[in-house]
Amino acid sequence: MGELSQENAPIYEALENLRKMRVVPFDVPGHKRGRGNPELTRLLGEQCMNMDVNSMKPLDNLCHPVSVIKEAEELAAEAFGAAHAFLMVGGTTSSVQSMILSVAKRGEKIILPRNVHRSVIGAMVLCGAVPVYVNPQCSQRLGIPLGMSVEDVKRAIEENPDAKAVLVNNPTYYGICSDIRSIVKLAHEHGMYCLADEAHGTHFYFSDKLPVSAMEAGADMAAVSMHKSGGSLTQSSLLLTGPGISTGHVRQIINLTQTTSGSYLLMSSLDISRRNLALRGKETFEKVMELAEYARSEINEIPGFYAFSRELINGDSVFDFDVTKLSVHTLEVGLAGIEVYDLLRDEYDIQIEFGDFGNVLAYLSIGDRKRDIERLVSALSEISRRFGKEKVDLLEQEYIPPHVAVSPQEAFYAPKESLSLKECVGRICSEFVMCYPPGIPLLAPGEQVTQPIVEHIVYAKEKGCTLTGPEDEKIRYLNVLKGVEG
């Protein structure tokens, strides 16, 4: 890397040099630095449009980096303690899918929790890998899936010694962490890779007061959503690899699905954000933790709301907790999480990350301010007073253990028919059904449709959850395998 240090942002610096050169563009994109699309230029600004350029020699090429992108990746690897880092412009979905495709082929097994993001199962549809689920333990009070028990992972490994990898959420959407160090050790002792979905754990790399990061725990690969808590633009991500992974092989896998026209807006945002975190991340996330703890203490004074934290830690299925996650249980106030989510937006102009049946999540990161926290706390206090009622019998169980009948790939591509939800019970689903966010499937291709799952879907619709996945826009029908019972 020569003279480069974490003070540098090679891609951004190359773009600045290009801007000063006043190069006449006879290449794509066709808006030609914004001149061809004045309305879009007014919306995004001239500087943004000037930096929306194509790959060229001074700017390197994302498919085969040899200069500034390569330097940016090396700096990112150094900042995150990885052997290598890939800049990803297809979101962390692309990072997760590249991880899976790099280690597993058709018919090969991956051990994983069922509360994975749809991108994990989507990767299995693409490569034909077979999931072996470790059903996460659940908190009956909160109605949320927890982490994976080390003993459950050990049992799955012993029962499936031919599995290629173990995948861990580090953390879950709610901030819950499994014992990733022990799981990495187990996987490696049995000749398996350990992969981490770290979509919600970017900040773990920049504080010793937060749970351990995947790379520090010895994981082989980690997908990191820089755009979530790291400050880069939406859809930008990092794929980190450890020393035992072939960089060239992973690059080939990435290039199967990632665009050949990598956005320099996204790449420069990764470059600048990495620099910011490397130089100021520790103090920045210290402030985020302080804000979250302040918010929790205030919310826990409001009747009916419970902002949970490290008190959930039990040394196993909740091995650690990400205190930057402001997760709030709502059922004691007589409202489903999705109802609180809607009230905050519709009555108080506050947009939080998501609401499920019993909880809401306010996502705190480097851009939050104390006065915004105070506004949220005030709104929740008013909601408790204005809309709170006696706790009612709401559907609390968020996690329904699946019955996997066939592999995701086999189900996705099999002949299918469309049936009403009621008629689907007992049949094998060929598509996804999920509440989004968080994008964790209620049903995935290859799983049997059961009565509790149908009730779950109907209840989610009634409560106003945003359901996605099926071909039928109104989720009245599902595609199931034709002529096949579960």
Side-chain angles (χ1 to χ4, degrees):
M1 283 193 305
E3 299 296 315
L4 283 181
S5 74
Q6 292 296 334
E7 301 268 355
N8 291 105
I11 298 171
Y12 167 67
E13 289 159 16
L15 283 168
E16 280 290 290
N17 288 336
L18 180 72
R19 191 168 61 86
K20 290 170 189 169
M21 289 167 65
R22 300 169 64 90
V23 171
V24 179
F26 285 104
D27 60 351
V28 296
H31 61 67
K32 301 297 173 100
R33 313 294 195 264
R35 291 191 299 274
N37 196 338
E39 294 91 347
L40 187 59
T41 303
R42 277 197 294 276
L43 174 67
L44 299 181
E46 283 186 22
Q47 187 155 356
C48 178
M49 297 300 278
N50 265 318
M51 289 192 167
D52 183 39
V53 293
N54 193 31
S55 293
M56 59 186 78
K57 277 193 176 179
L59 296 182
D60 208 356
N61 188 302
L62 184 59
C63 295
H64 189 86
V66 294
S67 59
V68 293
I69 295 175
K70 184 181 181 185
E71 291 169 349
E73 290 186 338
E74 288 171 353
L75 287 169
E78 181 181 88
F80 283 80
H84 194 84
F86 298 88
L87 304 188
M88 305 293 290
V89 295
T92 303
T93 289
S94 179
S95 300
V96 167
Q97 292 182 341
S98 296
M99 264 197 322
I100 304 284
L101 269 60
S102 293
V103 302
K105 300 189 288 293
R106 183 178 173 82
E108 294 180 338
K109 299 174 185 173
I110 297 183
I111 295 166
L112 68 164
R114 178 56 182 78
N115 57 324
V116 290
H117 189 261
R118 68 167 291 175
S119 57
V120 175
I121 300 167
M124 294 184 174
V125 169
L126 293 174
C127 71
V130 179
V132 174
Y133 289 126
V134 175
N135 291 337
Q137 295 179 18
C138 277
S139 164
Q140 290 303 319
R141 177 186 177 185
L142 302 176
I144 61 171
L146 304 175
M148 291 191 291
S149 157
V150 173
E151 277 305 308
D152 288 346
V153 174
K154 186 178 181 186
R155 191 177 308 113
I157 287 174
E158 288 170 352
E159 290 173 0
N160 300 274
D162 54 340
K164 291 293 177 182
V166 180
L167 184 136
V168 187
N169 290 322
N170 195 51
T172 69
Y173 224 132
Y174 300 94
I176 290 161
C177 295
S178 302
D179 182 359
I180 188 170
R181 283 191 198 273
S182 297
I183 293 170
V184 166
K185 188 168 181 286
L186 266 177
H188 288 172
E189 284 171 355
H190 290 81
M192 300 176 191
Y193 294 108
C194 185
L195 315 177
D197 181 345
E198 245 172 0
H200 300 282
T202 306
H203 43 297
F204 289 4
Y205 290 87
F206 302 96
S207 175
D208 53 11
K209 295 181 181 175
L210 289 168
V212 67
S213 70
M215 287 293 108
E216 189 181 341
D220 298 288
M221 302 178 81
V224 177
S225 273
M226 276 287 276
H227 69 93
K228 287 189 170 74
S229 59
S232 64
L233 290 177
T234 296
Q235 202 179 304
S236 58
S237 176
L238 292 174
L239 176 57
L240 307 178
T241 60
I245 298 291
S246 165
T247 302
H249 173 65
V250 175
R251 180 83 68 192
Q252 287 187 323
I253 295 291
I254 290 169
N255 287 341
L256 290 175
T257 56
Q258 186 163 255
T259 178
T260 55
S261 304
S263 164
Y264 279 88
L265 296 174
L266 296 181
M267 286 189 280
S268 61
S269 83
L270 282 170
D271 204 17
I272 293 167
S273 300
R274 179 272 314 152
R275 180 174 68 181
N276 288 344
L277 294 183
L279 299 179
R280 294 175 285 280
K282 190 168 183 179
E283 63 199 63
T284 302
F285 289 120
E286 189 84 33
K287 289 173 186 166
V288 175
M289 285 185 268
E290 285 171 12
L291 278 179
E293 294 293 10
Y294 167 70
R296 253 189 293 277
S297 65
E298 293 291 306
I299 290 167
N300 284 333
E301 295 295 317
I302 302 170
F305 287 119
Y306 168 41
F308 49 92
S309 186
R310 284 188 164 133
E311 69 277 2
L312 299 183
I313 291 173
N314 59 21
D316 190 21
S317 58
V318 187
F319 186 77
D320 208 343
F321 186 83
D322 174 10
V323 293
T324 72
K325 297 287 186 296
L326 186 55
S327 302
V328 183
H329 188 59
T330 66
L331 291 185
E332 299 294 331
V333 84
L335 297 168
I338 189 63
E339 292 173 315
V340 174
Y341 171 99
D342 286 339
L343 286 168
L344 283 168
R345 186 192 60 245
D346 298 342
E347 299 282 331
Y348 300 95
D349 296 329
I350 293 173
Q351 180 62 56
I352 58 169
E353 178 68 7
F354 79 88
D356 60 25
F357 296 154
N359 306 276
V360 292
L361 172 67
Y363 209 100
L364 303 191
S365 67
I366 60 179
D368 286 295
R369 303 168 297 183
K370 189 171 183 182
R371 66 173 178 266
D372 298 326
I373 299 291
E374 287 166 348
R375 185 169 161 187
L376 172 64
V377 170
S378 173
L380 288 173
S381 182
E382 269 199 42
I383 286 171
S384 173
R385 182 170 51 79
R386 289 177 61 198
F387 303 100
K389 44 187 185 273
E390 288 297 309
K391 182 181 177 182
V392 287
D393 234 355
L394 296 175
L395 186 61
E396 293 188 37
Q397 185 66 358
E398 178 74 8
Y399 174 78
I400 300 173
H403 169 60
V404 181
V406 299
S407 77
Q409 186 183 66
E410 188 181 339
F412 190 83
Y413 290 110
K416 61 199 74 166
E417 59 184 328
S418 180
L419 298 178
S420 70
L421 286 174
K422 189 177 176 183
E423 293 174 295
C424 287
V425 174
R427 301 295 290 272
I428 300 169
C429 193
S430 72
E431 57 188 356
F432 292 94
V433 184
M434 71 210 83
C435 295
Y436 195 86
I440 296 165
L442 304 172
L443 269 174
E447 294 176 0
Q448 186 181 51
V449 184
T450 62
Q451 187 61 37
I453 288 171
V454 168
E455 289 170 6
H456 202 88
I457 292 168
V458 170
Y459 186 84
K461 287 173 65 178
E462 286 171 357
K463 287 294 177 187
C465 290
T466 301
L467 286 165
T468 67
E471 276 187 32
D472 176 37
E473 190 180 303
K474 295 188 175 160
I475 330 287
R476 294 166 304 184
Y477 300 89
L478 291 179
N479 286 341
V480 295
L481 268 62
K482 196 169 187 174
V484 180
E485 295 293 329

